[in-house]
Amino acid sequence: MILRDIKGQSMLVVMVLILASFLLCSAVLVMGTNARKIAAFEANQDKAYYIAEAGVEKVLADAKNGPVWLRNLRIGSEYNFLANNLSGKDYGEGAFEHIIVKKLSEDKKHTALEIECRGKCGSSIKRIKVNVILENVYPENLFRGLWLADDSSAADNVFNLAADSYFAGDVMINSGSHITGNIY
């Protein structure tokens, strides 16, 4: 009789230990799965942020050359840079959701812009809104003349850069630019 009770108790203890092990393993598995999901979500959040930042950088790179779209943009109006300047929404492992440029103000030396960009990666979306002030966006406004090392080029007052881009200190003069003024 005592031996049977011990066998029954042993069986009960073994069942309780197996159940406890099963519950513990299940909890570890659930926690590991959640940690993996959280890590993937955070990685997508970072990627979405960097995609949005890349959109802002694309606008700045294009705006520094004084493009036609920026010249024609009236103060207070918005421009859809994504639809008009980029060939697609895809970027890296995600995509641009939208890139909007708004001209806040402009004078002879400064152009103030507000750039709003949303980047998406997986289910994560990040938005960046930046206000920038660009100096001397339109290089032809800087020159009233041009200094040349060789005076044989000074035949007239228009210097046409039809073929190449030229660098003068910190200023890049794009090909096709027309500079009117005195040639020295």
Side-chain angles (χ1 to χ4, degrees):
M1 181 94 166
I2 293 176
L3 190 58
R4 266 193 209 160
D5 289 340
I6 292 174
K7 283 184 181 180
Q9 289 175 358
S10 299
M11 183 61 98
L12 185 61
V13 169
V14 168
M15 293 290 278
V16 168
L17 288 175
I18 290 174
L19 180 63
S21 297
F22 176 76
L23 291 175
L24 182 64
C25 290
S26 296
V28 168
L29 183 63
V30 167
M31 288 174 37
T33 303
N34 285 342
R36 184 177 161 273
K37 287 180 183 177
I38 290 170
F41 178 75
E42 288 178 357
N44 284 343
Q45 286 279 314
D46 289 344
K47 289 175 186 176
Y49 173 82
Y50 290 123
I51 290 169
E53 191 175 77
V56 170
E57 291 298 326
K58 284 185 176 291
V59 171
L60 291 176
D62 193 46
K64 287 181 181 177
N65 296 322
V68 174
W69 66 264
L70 185 56
R71 289 176 192 266
N72 295 335
L73 188 62
R74 288 180 286 137
I75 294 173
S77 60
E78 294 182 347
Y79 179 76
N80 188 337
F81 188 84
L82 177 60
N84 297 315
N85 292 63
L86 298 179
S87 59
K89 288 185 171 189
D90 293 338
Y91 187 79
E93 295 179 25
F96 297 117
E97 283 289 299
H98 86 265
I99 304 172
I100 302 295
V101 181
K102 182 178 181 181
K103 188 183 279 188
L104 300 176
S105 66
E106 185 171 54
D107 58 29
K108 290 182 181 180
K109 291 186 179 182
H110 302 95
T111 302
L113 301 175
E114 178 184 274
I115 305 166
E116 183 179 338
C117 184
R118 277 199 312 250
K120 180 178 181 179
C121 185
S123 62
S124 300
I125 296 175
K126 284 290 187 170
R127 178 180 151 247
I128 296 178
K129 193 173 194 178
V130 179
N131 289 342
V132 295
I133 297 176
L134 302 173
E135 293 184 4
N136 302 319
V137 176
Y138 313 112
E140 65 273 10
N141 293 337
L142 296 174
F143 296 102
R144 296 294 178 256
L146 188 64
W147 291 85
L148 300 175
D150 179 12
D151 64 352
S152 64
S153 299
D156 58 36
N157 288 343
V158 177
F159 191 71
N160 187 359
L161 305 174
D164 298 316
S165 295
Y166 293 90
F167 295 92
D170 292 335
V171 177
M172 184 173 113
I173 305 168
N174 291 325
S175 62
S177 295
H178 297 278
I179 301 170
T180 304
N182 297 322
I183 306 288
Y184 301 100

